Amino acid sequence: MIVALHSVLKPGAVDGYRVEHAAVPDDLDAAFSRVGIRGWTIWRSGERLFHVVDCDDFDAAIAALDDDPANLAWQASIGRWVEVFRDADGAEGFAPLEQVWSLAAQRAGSAP
């Protein structure tokens, strides 16, 4: 499955976030592999970040990472740059965004 997420950086945090997120730690990469996260890409527009996650099961992966030491350390480190995650309605929350349209789904004749 592929999900998109939206987060917002703290004011003035763009450069620090770029440096911090140049690479994730090897133990976090290994944890992602263990929980079925195959890919994670982040795009930026101003202080807004848009994440695309390719994984087996997003909810299961995130639940498995909740108490993972590598993820906890990473969240403590990267969290100093991130103000908030937003859900599909713009409310605070770590939930996938709504997929509105997909060219691949349209071509396959299925809904996104």
Side-chain angles (χ1 to χ4, degrees):
M1 76 186 305
I2 296 176
V3 300
L5 305 168
H6 173 216
S7 60
V8 181
L9 294 173
K10 293 178 180 175
V14 170
D15 291 335
Y17 181 84
R18 277 192 191 123
V19 169
E20 183 83 16
H21 219 307
V24 300
D26 291 340
D27 59 345
L28 182 62
D29 182 16
F32 282 174
S33 291
R34 276 194 310 278
V35 302
I37 295 175
R38 289 181 294 279
W40 193 312
T41 307
I42 303 171
W43 285 270
R44 183 184 67 81
S45 177
E47 292 175 338
R48 296 175 178 269
L49 302 175
F50 299 92
H51 312 243
V52 176
V53 183
D54 179 6
C55 57
D56 295 332
D57 180 325
F58 180 76
D59 292 333
I62 295 308
L65 290 171
D66 275 347
D67 60 358
D68 183 279
N71 185 53
L72 293 173
W74 176 249
Q75 294 309 318
S77 179
I78 201 69
R80 63 189 164 148
W81 309 108
V82 179
E83 182 174 303
V84 67
F85 270 82
R86 300 258 180 227
D87 68 13
D89 295 317
E92 186 173 334
F94 189 73
L97 299 176
E98 174 189 6
Q99 183 177 354
V100 176
W101 177 78
S102 162
L103 179 60
Q106 178 176 322
R107 287 177 174 167
S110 62

